[in-house]
Amino acid sequence: MERTVWNAYRRFRCIAQACPDSCCQGWEVDVDETAAAYYRTLSGPLGDRLRQVLKTDNGASYMALENDRCPMWRQDGLCQIQAELDHDALCQVCREYPRLYMDYGDFAEWGVELSCPEAARLLFQGISAETETVPGGEEPEYDGEVMAVLRKSREEVLSFVTHTPMPANRALAVVLLYAHQVQSAIDGGEYPVFSPEKCLQSAKEYAGAGDLQPILQFFEGLEILTGQWKNRLTDPQWGTWDPMLRHLAVYLIRRYWLQAVWDFDLICRVKFTVTACILVNALGGDTEKTAQLFSKEIENDPDNREAILDAAYTSPAFTDANLLGLLELP
C-alpha cells in the first residue's frame, strides 16, 4: 500500500514541560478499553489513583478532570503513568496525539494535528509530504471514481495554494469556487479544467457584502473549552490578510478534502476550511497561535466540527455570498 507522510510528522517531538499549552488540560482524555482494563489491574498507589479517577459513561472510559487538568498530569509537566511505567503504558490517545492517521484502505496519510503548539510550529513552516510503499493495506471501501476525482483535484488545489502569487484571501476564493466545480464532477458531471483566473472572476460576481457577526455568533453557540477562546470571539481584531494563512489552508485541505469520499460532500469541508481561515484572520493576533487555538476548540471537539459541517448549507453565516464577501475581493 501507499503511505504518504507529512514532513511535520517525521519532525515532531513532544517538548513536554516546555510546551506553552498542554494536551493534559481543558478536555477529558478518552481511554481505550485495552488501557482501561490494564489500569484497573494495577496495584499500589498508582493503581489506586487510576481506579479513583477512571470513569465510565455509556460504555466509554475517560479520565475525569480535576481543576481542569488530567489527574495524571504532574506539577512538573510530566505524566505520572509514563514516569512510573513507560510510554507504551499510555492509552492510545496519549500515545498517538498529536499524530494523525488517515487510513483509506489501500493507502494512508500520516500527519499531525494543529491543536498541538509544537505541531503548529512545524505546520506553519510549510507542509510537504513523501509517499512510500509499505506492506499491508486492505481492499478499499470507497468509490474508486470519486476518490480519483478528489485526489486529482486536491493535488491541483494544493499546488495552487502553495505556489500562487495571489494573496491568501483571493486564493481561498478560488478554492471555494473550484470546489463547486469538483462537486459537480463528484455528482456525475465532467471533470473541470482548473482555471484560477476564471474562478476568481466568478467569485467576485457571487460575493455579497460579507458579515462577520453571524459567524461569530455561530461559534459562540458551540461548546467552548477555554475562556481565552470565548474572549477572542467577543473581541475580533480584523486586520490585513496574513500570508501565513496559506499554511492553515494547506493543512485543512490535506486533512479534509479526501474525506468527502465517504459522503460525497466536498463543499461542506471546503466551507469549513474557508471559514477557519476567515475566523483566524478576523480574531487577529499571532496567526499560528490563533490557528492552534481554533484547532483545539473546534477540530478536537467532534461535536463542534460536525456542527459546522452540518450548518454549511443551512446557516446564513456560511453561504457562498457571505464567505466570499468576507474574503474582501476587490
Side-chain angles (χ1 to χ4, degrees):
M1 67 178 292
E2 285 187 354
R3 182 170 66 199
T4 299
V5 184
W6 300 2
N7 58 336
Y9 178 95
R10 296 192 187 279
R11 295 172 58 199
F12 175 79
R13 299 292 184 273
C14 177
I15 58 175
Q17 58 265 50
C19 185
D21 196 355
S22 175
C23 50
C24 303
Q25 66 179 354
W27 48 39
E28 293 173 341
V29 176
D30 294 329
V31 180
D32 59 280
E33 284 310 302
T34 299
Y38 170 61
Y39 294 160
R40 293 187 176 104
T41 67
L42 292 173
S43 59
L46 177 59
D48 293 340
R49 179 67 171 140
L50 281 166
R51 282 184 287 275
Q52 178 186 17
V53 300
L54 195 60
K55 306 297 181 182
T56 302
D57 184 21
N58 293 325
S61 298
Y62 63 95
M63 294 283 187
L65 295 181
E66 295 181 352
N67 298 319
D68 205 37
R69 297 165 55 100
C70 174
M72 292 293 105
W73 189 32
R74 304 190 318 195
Q75 291 300 321
D76 62 2
L78 301 177
C79 172
Q80 186 175 352
I81 295 173
Q82 184 168 359
E84 295 194 25
L85 301 175
D86 56 38
H87 178 79
D88 292 338
L90 295 174
C91 64
Q92 182 177 358
V93 167
C94 294
R95 283 198 313 272
E96 295 182 352
Y97 181 81
R99 298 165 187 87
L100 184 64
Y101 301 100
M102 297 160 282
D103 191 345
Y104 295 96
D106 59 338
F107 73 96
E109 300 191 353
W110 291 5
V112 290
E113 297 194 44
L114 180 63
S115 54
C116 165
E118 177 62 10
R121 184 185 70 83
L122 296 173
L123 292 168
F124 268 74
Q125 291 177 356
I127 304 175
S128 61
E130 295 180 351
T131 300
E132 55 194 9
T133 301
V134 296
E138 300 176 353
E139 188 69 22
E141 298 180 1
Y142 57 74
D143 183 298
E145 292 184 1
V146 171
M147 179 60 86
V149 168
L150 289 170
R151 294 185 77 172
K152 180 179 179 180
S153 58
R154 189 183 68 162
E155 289 310 305
E156 291 173 332
V157 167
L158 285 173
S159 178
F160 165 72
V161 173
T162 302
H163 301 295
T164 182
M166 286 186 188
N169 54 323
R170 294 190 187 184
L172 287 165
V174 169
V175 171
L176 180 55
L177 263 292
Y178 186 54
H180 278 283
Q181 298 174 10
V182 176
Q183 184 67 59
S184 295
I186 292 171
D187 295 338
E190 293 294 321
Y191 189 86
V193 175
F194 182 34
S195 171
E197 293 75 18
K198 290 183 178 179
C199 287
L200 181 60
Q201 184 57 44
S202 296
K204 293 178 180 180
E205 295 171 1
Y206 293 139
D211 187 355
L212 182 63
Q213 200 58 38
I215 293 180
L216 294 173
Q217 291 174 349
F218 184 91
F219 278 84
E220 287 170 359
L222 300 176
E223 181 181 9
I224 294 179
L225 297 176
T226 66
Q228 181 186 9
W229 182 244
K230 182 177 181 179
N231 293 336
R232 297 290 297 278
L233 289 173
T234 58
D235 186 27
Q237 304 289 328
W238 190 285
T240 58
W241 287 92
D242 187 348
M244 297 293 284
L245 284 167
R246 72 178 65 246
H247 294 309
L248 174 59
V250 167
Y251 161 78
L252 294 169
I253 291 166
R254 281 196 176 276
R255 181 169 182 176
Y256 294 110
W257 194 280
L258 298 188
Q259 291 184 14
V261 77
W262 304 122
D263 58 9
F264 301 166
D265 189 350
L266 177 62
I267 297 302
C268 70
R269 292 171 173 84
V270 175
K271 285 189 175 184
F272 179 91
T273 296
V274 172
T275 299
C277 293
I278 290 173
L279 184 61
V280 167
N281 188 71
L283 296 183
D286 182 277
T287 298
E288 177 188 315
K289 293 178 180 178
T290 304
Q292 183 261 325
L293 181 59
F294 168 90
S295 180
K296 180 175 180 176
E297 293 279 347
I298 304 303
E299 286 195 288
N300 287 121
D301 188 321
D303 291 338
N304 282 351
R305 188 174 64 243
E306 291 302 317
I308 298 169
L309 295 176
D310 290 343
Y313 300 104
T314 60
S315 171
F318 307 122
T319 63
D320 290 335
N322 193 49
L323 294 178
L324 291 170
L326 287 167
L327 290 174
E328 300 180 312
L329 305 176

